[in-house]
Amino acid sequence: MTRRLLASAALLAAALASGGRAAAQQADRIVIRAEPGTPVVAQELLLAVGAADEPELQPGIAYLTARVATATARPVLDSLGARLEVQARREGLEFTLTAAPDVWEDASRALLTALFRDPTDSASTTRERARIVAELEATENSPAAVAGRAADAALYGAEHPWARPPQGTSESVATLTASDVDVFLRKNFTADRATIAVVGPVDPAEARGFLVGRLNAAPLEIAEAPAPQPGDTAVRQEFGSITAWVSASYSFGADADLDALQLLASVVAERFAFSSSTRQLYDARGEVVRHRGGGEVRFTLVVPPAEVDAWGERLRAAVASVAGAPLPAGVFNDRLRRYRGERLLELDSPEARARALARELWLTRSRATEAVVSLGVLTPERLQRAAQSLKAPVMVYLGPFENAEH
Amino acid sequence: MLALALALAGGIAADTVRARPEHAGEAPPQQVAVHRQPALPVVAIRMSLLADDPPGYAGAGHLFQHLLLPSLQEQVRRVGGRVSIGRSADAVVYTVSGPASELDFLAGVLRSALRAPVVGTAELLSALNQVADERSAEREIAPSFVRASLRARLYPDQLPAGGTYLAAKRLETARLEPVWASMYRPERIAILAVGDVEPEAVRRAFRTLPEADPDTAETLADSLPAFGGRSPEATRGWVGAAWAGDSASPAALSVAARLLRRTLRARFPAAQVDAEHWWTHDGQAVALVMAAPGAQLPALRRASAAALDSVVARVDEEAVRGAADDVRREMLFYGRTPERMAELLGDFADRTGDRGAAQAFYEALGTVTEADVRTALEVLNRAPAARVEVPPQRLRTTP
């Protein structure tokens, strides 16, 4: 009898230990930021289902599946006054849910059930496919979209999954069937690929408990994308627009100084802002795009076609000048002051903070909720070192070059 | 509150104050209020000047805003901030947002808007053109035209925020300092800060405001523009109706408007249906704006004529509770950023003079009953509705 009791106790202990590990693994994929003064709860769910999971002939199926799966939850969410946004990124899908505190659990339950339990129906597929095709037809041939795709192909390699637009193309999405969506959903939309951040007036323990009960215990599963294979020569692509687009993509690795690189993107873009000395510059942008294991700083200029090479050189020179010497203290402080304000205002909605937290958790496994709204101590030297750490840029020129001299 | 807030904005954006008993003559004391939101070290500061446009200078308040906006934008850009302007029926409103650590700087930016702008002819003409464009837009776009026409019928003495053509011509050559002096008094300023700031710090930042200038503009007559003539071209037919409901409970009217929207959206799923609660110092109303392809226009017209009765037939406690919860959740959603929360709280406070008006309204929504809504619908039904229609354009084919 004693031996049976001991055996039972051992089994129970093993079961408890196993359950503890499972709960820990689930909790590792959840981050909660309690904000008592915020009027709504925002929940960001990142599903690690992206271009690398899509069959080669089905670009855009991840996004279509996400739209179809969530279509069933929309009536419930509408009745609760909750909002849901769905976006496709290279590495995964983003589901942003915003709801009043008294109904956020109901809204979250509806979303999780739609993603991981409910089957899809062919009517929803037909409807969402038509909507996405219409959306893509309206945007995919704009110079900005074409320039972005050209830069992606040059940076990652033409055959790399990330060279494809995350939403697919109007042509590829139009061929997808309800059966394709059903198969893709069953294979890829599983709770072990989800990372969740919640921001708002919630009790952290209760919110975590609610979510842990709805995620399965497996560790986070992410399909690794092939290594990028950037080209080593500048790409020039003819395009029938009246302006030309110049992009310079600087890769960085996992150990990059992200705060400093983001400041660098802001400082360099600021140099190309419209002014009396840059009248012929139509637009200038700088952004940091992260992925697991690194990322890129991408600058984009819109310029007259005849000046495209000169602006490309100026862009590279601007980054090189920051790498060459620390900015004077006065200039640096002015830029930093503005940059801090812009960064903070980017996070002024709870859904923006939830998105930032979920991405941070997904990319770095960090669950530090304060880090997302605070900047470290930035100095001119730190900015210089960050610029020096960048690899040579991949340059892409898009425009009507044949007629440029006219 | 999103729909309600937008409805309020739609209802008040084009109106200006002619005779406002609660503000005219005796101005309320300057007030500073702070709504703490410590989630993020940012602050949104909303500054409202509770003032009418001076008689004869309709649109002056909004013109001053356009004259000052480029300078304000340039200033807040230094700290990565944002600035917005708005002219409601109750106030001239400026809002700046930025890091909480820049509170004093942002307050200084707002204080700089409390003096008559010194501008050249080019800047003045540019600002006048922007205001004129806003006036024109109201007549050129079908949904704006419907709303503006309904307002003109409900409140025939009101002038639009953008003023009138004649007033704009007058402002083109007027000395701006006396016009500004007719509007500005320090005690007419209300400050509302939302974010991670302490009340004392905000009060300190606005401790001193510019003095009022006794050299005010000569009182002149305003001419009310006729709001008629050709309606804008539209691909769909538009039907609008509005009912005055001044004496009804605001919360019950909001719920009634929500029920009206739900009822008609369920009946016309392919049409665009908006039902809005308008609430300004001039009074309250419920407005219905619908659009559908031409073939459905007769059905929309009939539905508009019987709109209030259709709600009366369906209203019950459960429907009232659902609609009230809907409005409350929209208030929360709308106020989820400091800037929006400042707008929400400030609009209520400007209208009623009560800092806690938004909170009181939110709580009142929680206690609205079926009887309250029925009473509100009765109030709406007492007066004849204002009605507007924009037919769909007919395409001519050449033989």
Side-chain angles (χ1 to χ4, degrees):
Chain A
M1 173 63 88
T2 307
R3 190 176 294 168
R4 281 177 63 189
L5 276 176
L6 286 172
S8 298
L11 283 172
L12 180 62
L16 286 173
S18 161
R21 275 198 304 278
Q25 283 171 341
Q26 289 157 328
D28 281 348
R29 291 188 278 133
I30 298 167
V31 59
I32 313 285
R33 180 176 152 90
E35 293 182 354
T38 299
V40 294
V41 178
Q43 173 187 299
E44 179 78 3
L45 187 153
L46 296 185
L47 193 62
V49 179
D53 300 283
E54 294 179 330
E56 199 170 334
L57 297 176
Q58 296 182 342
I61 190 154
Y63 183 52
L64 174 61
T65 305
R67 293 271 294 257
V68 173
T70 52
T72 59
R74 296 263 177 202
V76 178
L77 298 177
D78 287 347
S79 72
L80 297 171
R83 269 83 170 169
L84 175 67
E85 277 180 49
V86 181
Q87 291 196 59
R89 306 279 179 199
R90 289 184 192 124
E91 289 185 286
L93 298 158
E94 296 179 348
F95 301 87
T96 309
L97 183 67
T98 314
D102 61 330
V103 293
W104 89 266
E105 287 190 353
D106 292 336
S108 177
R109 190 179 295 113
L111 173 63
L112 295 170
T113 302
L115 288 178
F116 303 131
R117 292 190 188 170
D118 281 347
T120 60
D121 64 82
S122 59
S124 294
T125 302
T126 305
R127 195 170 51 244
E128 292 301 324
R129 183 178 58 207
R131 286 178 180 162
I132 294 174
V133 168
E135 290 162 15
L136 290 171
E137 282 175 344
T139 57
E140 65 190 356
N141 290 320
S142 70
V146 176
R149 288 202 297 275
D152 289 343
L155 185 65
Y156 299 111
E159 301 304 317
H160 195 281
W162 294 350
R164 302 197 292 258
Q167 299 86 356
T169 63
S170 56
E171 202 176 335
S172 70
V173 173
T175 65
L176 299 173
T177 66
S179 169
D180 295 334
V181 168
D182 189 53
V183 170
F184 193 83
L185 178 94
R186 288 172 192 279
K187 182 182 175 194
N188 296 288
F189 277 45
T190 53
D192 53 2
R193 294 187 174 203
T195 298
I196 297 180
V198 174
V199 169
V202 295
D203 177 277
E206 281 180 17
R208 191 179 300 281
F210 168 78
L211 292 169
V212 162
R214 279 155 187 83
L215 296 181
N216 63 24
L220 181 63
E221 187 186 306
I222 296 175
E224 291 298 332
Q229 296 188 324
D232 49 11
T233 56
V235 173
R236 297 177 78 86
Q237 184 173 326
E238 280 286 338
F239 188 73
S241 55
I242 57 170
T243 53
W245 295 62
V246 182
S247 84
S249 298
Y250 293 81
S251 300
F252 59 78
D255 56 350
D257 183 344
L258 283 164
D259 281 342
L261 286 177
Q262 276 165 336
L263 174 59
L264 173 74
S266 170
V267 166
V268 172
E270 167 73 13
R271 288 194 183 182
F272 293 92
F274 181 82
S275 70
S276 56
S277 62
T278 55
R279 286 180 192 280
Q280 59 282 60
L281 189 62
Y282 306 124
D283 195 15
R285 274 171 294 169
E287 60 176 341
V288 173
V289 183
R290 296 168 68 188
H291 55 71
R292 287 171 73 90
E296 59 164 313
V297 184
R298 183 178 294 185
F299 298 100
T300 307
L301 303 182
V302 185
V303 299
E307 301 175 16
V308 69
D309 292 310
W311 283 106
E313 278 309 309
R314 285 175 202 149
L315 191 49
R316 283 198 289 201
V319 177
S321 76
V322 180
L327 288 183
V331 174
F332 177 83
N333 289 335
D334 282 349
R335 298 286 183 273
L336 182 62
R337 187 183 186 195
R338 182 177 163 193
Y339 167 70
R340 279 183 192 279
E342 289 170 345
R343 277 288 303 277
L344 282 172
L345 288 189
E346 282 171 7
L347 295 169
D348 70 349
S349 69
E351 62 266 32
R353 296 193 286 280
R355 192 172 296 135
L357 278 173
R359 282 184 186 161
E360 199 61 35
L361 177 59
W362 192 29
L363 291 166
T364 67
R365 316 313 306 155
S366 165
R367 291 167 56 212
T369 58
E370 287 310 312
V372 74
V373 296
S374 61
L375 294 174
V377 178
L378 289 166
T379 63
E381 292 72 25
R382 199 173 146 190
L383 178 66
Q384 182 191 16
R385 284 195 298 275
Q388 289 169 340
S389 73
L390 294 172
K391 298 171 184 168
V394 174
M395 303 295 297
V396 173
Y397 303 93
L398 179 92
F401 304 118
E402 285 175 3
N403 300 321
E405 62 273 25
H406 303 299
Chain B
M1 189 62 169
L2 182 58
L4 176 61
L6 292 178
L8 290 170
I12 60 185
D15 300 334
T16 192
V17 185
R18 301 209 70 199
R20 192 173 38 175
E22 68 269 36
H23 292 146
E26 192 176 333
Q30 180 207 331
Q31 51 181 341
V32 174
V34 175
H35 180 79
R36 286 267 299 154
Q37 265 193 355
L40 194 68
V42 298
V43 64
I45 314 173
R46 181 183 187 277
M47 180 178 78
S48 49
L49 167 63
L50 299 156
D52 305 347
D53 290 331
Y57 296 94
H62 200 40
L63 174 66
F64 284 124
Q65 292 184 305
H66 276 287
L67 287 169
L68 289 164
L69 186 60
S71 156
L72 301 179
Q73 287 172 327
E74 187 58 35
Q75 291 181 71
V76 297
R77 197 165 162 264
R78 293 175 61 188
V79 295
R82 288 195 292 255
V83 62
S84 64
I85 57 172
R87 176 57 159 135
S88 74
D90 305 294
V92 178
V93 180
Y94 296 90
T95 306
V96 294
S97 307
S101 58
E102 301 283 0
L103 172 66
D104 290 335
F105 179 85
L106 295 169
V109 173
L110 284 176
R111 286 199 308 269
S112 75
L114 295 180
R115 297 181 193 283
V118 180
V119 293
T121 307
E123 288 103 321
L124 178 61
L125 291 177
S126 170
L128 281 166
N129 282 339
Q130 288 166 8
V131 177
D133 285 347
E134 290 180 20
R135 272 200 310 273
S136 302
E138 201 164 59
R139 291 164 184 262
E140 291 168 356
I141 304 165
S144 305
F145 175 86
V146 170
R147 287 179 172 85
S149 298
L150 290 174
R151 274 198 308 277
R153 284 165 171 73
L154 285 179
Y155 311 114
D157 289 340
Q158 279 192 347
L159 291 165
T164 64
Y165 174 77
L166 288 177
K169 293 305 286 181
R170 197 174 278 154
L171 285 162
E172 200 175 309
T173 53
R175 282 179 59 229
L176 294 181
E177 290 85 353
V179 179
W180 172 250
S182 301
M183 300 180 71
Y184 173 70
R185 302 275 183 284
E187 63 273 18
R188 287 181 180 172
I189 296 294
I191 305 292
L192 173 65
V194 177
D196 188 15
V197 289
E198 296 296 333
E200 188 47 43
V202 180
R203 272 192 285 274
R204 205 165 44 239
F206 286 94
R207 193 173 43 216
T208 56
L209 297 178
E211 295 288 324
D213 186 343
D215 178 19
T216 57
E218 181 188 359
T219 297
L220 301 170
D222 271 316
S223 56
L224 287 164
F227 205 95
R230 289 187 58 186
S231 60
E233 301 287 347
T235 54
R236 295 179 295 171
W238 289 79
V239 172
W243 301 265
D246 294 348
S247 61
S249 138
L253 271 188
S254 274
V255 173
R258 182 52 52 100
L259 289 169
L260 179 59
R261 190 178 88 173
R262 282 186 174 182
T263 303
L264 292 174
R265 281 187 178 177
R267 195 166 149 199
F268 299 101
Q272 180 180 332
V273 177
D274 288 308
E276 301 159 356
H277 173 198
W278 292 356
W279 186 10
T280 73
H281 68 273
D282 285 313
Q284 299 184 90
V286 167
L288 174 66
V289 180
M290 299 190 285
Q296 279 195 33
L297 204 53
L300 287 190
R301 203 177 290 138
R302 285 193 299 275
S304 165
L308 296 182
D309 292 338
S310 67
V311 179
V312 171
R314 286 171 178 78
V315 67
D316 59 28
E317 282 296 348
E318 188 183 350
V320 167
R321 195 81 313 284
D325 285 347
D326 223 18
V327 178
R328 280 162 65 106
R329 287 175 189 141
E330 282 193 4
M331 282 182 82
L332 297 176
F333 182 78
Y334 191 79
R336 70 195 191 284
T337 67
E339 199 173 334
R340 293 282 193 85
M341 183 61 88
E343 181 188 333
L344 184 65
L345 301 179
D347 280 348
F348 272 87
D350 288 349
R351 186 164 50 234
T352 62
D354 173 12
R355 294 177 196 182
Q359 183 64 32
F361 177 78
Y362 184 83
E363 284 165 12
L365 284 168
T367 58
V368 170
T369 63
E370 179 188 340
D372 296 332
V373 174
R374 287 190 181 280
T375 304
L377 289 165
E378 279 170 24
V379 171
L380 294 173
N381 250 330
R382 273 181 210 148
R387 298 193 184 277
V388 176
E389 199 170 307
V390 177
Q393 71 186 109
R394 290 174 184 274
L395 297 177
R396 289 180 188 162
T397 53
T398 48

